[in-house]
Amino acid sequence: MEPGLKLEKKKDTKEMTSKPYRELIGCLMYLMVTSRPDICAAVNYFAAFQCCATEEHWVHLKRVLRYLQGTTDYKLVYRRQVSPTILEAYADADWGNDPNDRRSVSGFVIKLCGSVVAWTTKKQSSVALSTTEAELMALCLTSCELAWMAKLLSSIGCAMNEPINIFEDNQPCIAIIVEPGKQKRLKHVDIQHFFVRELVEDGKLRIVYLPTEQQIADCSDTKPKFL
C-alpha cells in the first residue's frame, strides 16, 4: 500500500462504491491468513472501510492486487531442522496513525525453527497515550500467543526449556518490564504490564532489544524480511 496512507471513513452513502470491495477483502484475507504475512498490515487497514468504501478506497485496495501480481515468487519456506526447537517472536506497533479513531495497531511475527508460523496485525482496543504504551500492548498480545504456542508444543513433546525471546525495538517499553520503578506513568495499563513481567520473571520469556531496521514485524517496512 502507499506509504503513509491515511484514508477517511465517509458517512455519505451516496459516495459508496458499487465495486465488490468486501469480496476482494475476503479473498485477500484468505491469502494473508494462509501464506502471505507481508500483506497482513494492508489487509487489516483496508478491512476497516468495508462498511463505507468509496471509489478512492477501491483504487487503493487494487494496489494490493498489483503488488501480489509482481511478487508471485514470494513464499514461506519450511526446512527440516535437526537442532533443538527454537521459538522466537518479533513484536511492534505504530502509534495513533489512524486519523479516524487514533488507535494504534499491534503486530507480531512468530518463528519456529527459523520459519514463520504465525503473524497478526490487529488494531488495539483503546487509544495509547504514548509509543511506549502502544508497544506494551503489542508485547502483551505477542506474549499471549507465545504462551498458547508453548503449551501446544509441550503437548506434542517439544517443551521449551529456555526462555522464549521476544524482539522489541522500543527501549522504554523494555525498561518498564525489567525495572519495577519505571512504570509510574503507566498505571492505567498495569494489568498488561504485570502479565508480561510475570512471564519474564518466571523464565518463560526474555525481552531482547532489536534495532528498528531489523524489526521484521514493522508494518511500515516496504520490503518484508521473512519471505
Side-chain angles (χ1 to χ4, degrees), residues 4-210:
L5 180 64
K6 294 183 180 181
L7 298 174
E8 295 183 0
K9 291 184 177 181
K10 304 293 184 178
K11 297 182 179 180
D12 189 355
T13 56
K14 295 181 181 179
E15 297 183 25
M16 293 184 183
T17 180
S18 59
K19 303 296 193 306
Y21 189 92
R22 293 186 179 183
E23 290 79 359
L24 180 53
I25 287 292
C27 294
L28 293 175
M29 191 168 294
Y30 172 78
L31 186 61
M32 176 268 292
V33 169
T34 55
S35 62
R36 293 297 296 264
D38 53 324
I39 65 171
C40 191
V43 174
N44 173 268
Y45 179 78
F46 289 117
F49 303 99
Q50 293 184 77
C51 63
C52 57
T54 64
E55 287 295 325
E56 182 183 14
H57 295 94
W58 174 253
V59 169
H60 283 285
L61 181 60
K62 288 195 298 182
R63 179 173 177 145
V64 181
L65 292 178
R66 292 195 295 272
Y67 168 77
L68 290 171
Q69 185 179 24
T71 57
T72 54
D73 58 330
Y74 280 19
K75 56 186 176 293
L76 293 172
V77 179
Y78 298 93
R79 297 184 177 88
R80 184 177 180 179
Q81 186 167 316
V82 183
S83 58
T85 302
I86 298 178
L87 186 64
E88 60 184 15
Y90 299 77
D92 198 18
D94 71 353
W95 181 45
N97 284 332
D98 190 340
N100 297 290
D101 56 16
R102 288 302 178 184
R103 294 186 180 182
S104 305
V105 175
S106 299
F108 67 71
V109 175
I110 297 178
K111 285 187 173 185
L112 179 63
C113 297
S115 299
V116 176
V117 294
W119 53 89
T120 286
T121 301
K122 183 179 181 181
K123 180 167 287 190
Q124 296 178 358
S125 58
S126 60
V127 177
L129 302 181
S130 65
T131 55
T132 300
E133 183 178 335
E135 294 281 356
L136 182 58
M137 292 183 184
L139 204 58
C140 181
L141 177 67
T142 309
S143 299
C144 291
E145 186 72 13
L146 283 174
W148 172 82
M149 192 166 289
K151 289 183 179 180
L152 177 63
L153 290 172
S154 180
S155 68
I156 59 175
C158 298
M160 298 290 102
N161 299 320
E162 297 291 335
I164 302 171
N165 287 333
I166 300 182
F167 296 99
E168 169 64 48
D169 61 2
N170 186 280
Q171 297 196 41
C173 179
I174 298 175
I176 65 172
I177 294 296
V178 299
E179 299 179 34
K182 297 283 187 178
Q183 79 280 8
K184 293 182 180 180
R185 295 184 180 179
L186 295 173
K187 293 181 179 179
H188 55 295
V189 291
D190 60 350
I191 293 179
Q192 299 182 62
H193 165 250
F194 283 112
F195 171 72
V196 179
R197 174 178 290 178
E198 184 177 273
L199 293 177
V200 172
E201 292 178 346
D202 290 344
K204 297 178 181 179
L205 296 180
R206 181 190 296 117
I207 314 299
V208 181
Y209 173 72
L210 186 73

